[in-house]
Amino acid sequence: MEDIKGRADVEWLVDDFYEKVRKDPLLGPIFDDVMKVDWSKHLPIMYDFWETNIFGVAKYKGRPIEAHAKVHDRAPMEQALFDRWLELFDKTIDENFEGIRATTLKKHAASIAGIMHFKVNHPGDIRMAPPKK
Ligand code: HEM
């Protein structure tokens, strides 16, 4: 197996991952029934997100925490959902890629998932509020 080499591999990885997500009984309905995700828009955003993450190109310019706060309002994002998300993400990588980028991507995903879980579940947390004058 080889490492993730460029944009084409990222696109392949993202497509394969979301195929798994859509078939998953826990995650699939959140994307397709609750949020009614437009895949023709979502997938290219995710290609950019992961290409930016792993290759340092300045393509993704979104606000993922805000996007997920909207998801959380309608389908509470609990730890079990993040665990499943990461399980499928790691599986997609492990089945297809091997190397420093593959390993790093798994670590980045886990780290972002941890921050995201914290932030969507603690929206009013004092540590996130702007400083008081
Ligand atoms: C509980 C697990 C998760 C669920 C159910 C979930 C669900 C979703 C949904 C429904 C959207 C589309 C929002 C919309 O277009 O209306 C979305 C967008 C997105 N997700 Fe997730 N997500 C999860 C975890 C993650 C993780 C762990 C990451 C990153 C490591 C991630 C990265 C993103 C990004 C970058 C977007 C695009 C935001 C934008 O529009 O800029 N998600 N997610």
Side-chain angles (χ1 to χ4, degrees), residues 27 30-31 35 37 42 45-46 49-50 60 62-64 67-68 71 77 81-82 85 109 112-113 116:
L27 292 171
I30 298 180
F31 285 82
M35 299 308 291
V37 167
H42 184 57
I45 293 174
M46 299 313 295
F49 177 76
W50 287 114
Y60 177 75
R63 302 172 75 90
H68 292 85
V71 179
M77 294 177 74
L81 287 180
F82 283 98
W85 193 104
I112 297 165
M116 201 180 272

Side-chain angles (χ1 to χ4, degrees), residues 28 34 64 73 81 108 119 123:
V34 179
D73 282 345
L81 287 180
H108 285 186
K119 290 200 173 180

